[in-house]
Amino acid sequence: MYSDVQPFVTHATKDDYAQQYAHYRTLLFDLLDSPVKSTQHIGGTQHFNYPTEPILDILVGVDNLHDITSLDEKRLNYAGFYRLHHTYHKKVMMARFNNLSDLKQQVRLHILQRNTDLFDHYVALDHLLTTSPDAIAFFAQQKQALLTSSQTIRDYEIGKQQLFTQLGKML
């Protein structure tokens, strides 16, 4: 498994990520037409306001998390997405990898129930990091420091989650 945080990228690939998002959006609606109610390209590859990992993050809205059945999960597996089994509260995380040896994440699906505080929080944080110069500068600086100080991807992801908690106070 790939044990390091992937090198950050900048605005040079924004159009490529927009095209990838359009492709995966269509795939999700075609593959899971009943549970998927909305998708949104979120995170750094959507706007490149700060250096970010080369991972396309997609917020997937469903009416109920229980609507993602084992059949839906199997369909996502056939499309190259695999469930990430960590402690996630009230969400399902799935990722597509470059291959099954290196396991570098290329696309992450954040599957959340719509019309919940958590879903609204994701949307609000994404808006904040798209429009607020103060939030963007804070996040860019802290994320770079986190990259430098983290020993593993897990450490980095835990630290990044703490950054999102701090950003939530700016809402």
Side-chain angles (χ1 to χ4, degrees), residues 9-150:
V9 294
T10 59
H11 67 281
T13 54
K14 184 176 180 177
D15 290 340
D16 182 45
Y17 281 98
Q19 290 173 349
Q20 285 184 52
Y21 168 69
H23 166 75
Y24 287 114
R25 181 182 193 285
T26 300
L27 177 94
L28 288 167
F29 277 107
D30 289 348
L31 196 62
L32 305 173
D33 57 349
S34 56
V36 174
K37 301 302 181 193
S38 65
T39 66
Q40 181 178 333
H41 183 179
I42 60 172
T45 61
Q46 190 265 336
H47 47 64
F48 285 98
N49 286 340
Y50 45 82
T52 191
E53 306 93 322
I55 301 170
L56 172 67
D57 286 291
I58 301 174
L59 176 60
V60 179
V62 297
D63 285 339
N64 190 318
L65 276 181
H66 298 292
D67 290 346
I68 300 295
T69 65
S70 57
L71 177 60
D72 294 320
E73 191 168 333
K74 184 67 77 181
R75 288 178 182 153
L76 285 166
N77 290 160
Y78 287 137
F81 288 94
Y82 298 93
R83 189 177 197 139
L84 301 178
H85 291 281
H86 297 293
T87 305
Y88 295 114
H89 301 286
K90 300 184 180 181
K91 72 176 178 178
V92 173
M93 288 288 294
M94 299 193 80
R96 183 178 175 100
F97 301 97
N98 66 325
N99 61 52
L100 295 179
S101 296
D102 295 336
L103 295 177
K104 288 183 184 178
Q105 294 181 20
Q106 295 178 314
V107 182
R108 274 190 299 234
L109 304 178
H110 304 253
I111 304 172
L112 282 82
Q113 187 168 315
R114 296 183 321 151
N115 302 315
T116 62
D117 290 342
L118 183 58
F119 187 88
D120 293 342
H121 189 70
Y122 261 71
V123 172
L125 280 179
D126 189 62
H127 179 73
L128 182 72
L129 287 171
T130 303
T131 61
S132 169
D134 291 340
I136 292 165
F138 168 79
F139 192 66
Q141 178 187 23
Q142 294 298 314
K143 192 173 179 184
Q144 187 63 49
L146 187 58
L147 175 67
T148 305
S149 66
S150 296

Side-chain angles (χ1 to χ4, degrees), residues 89 91 118 121-122 124-126 128-129 135 138-139 142 146 156-171:
H89 301 286
K91 72 176 178 178
L118 183 58
H121 189 70
Y122 261 71
L125 280 179
D126 189 62
L128 182 72
L129 287 171
F138 168 79
F139 192 66
Q142 294 298 314
L146 187 58
Y156 174 77
E157 290 296 333
I158 290 169
K160 201 164 67 168
Q161 190 58 49
Q162 292 168 347
L163 284 178
F164 285 124
T165 300
Q166 290 176 320
L167 282 171
K169 296 173 184 173
M170 298 174 96
L171 294 174

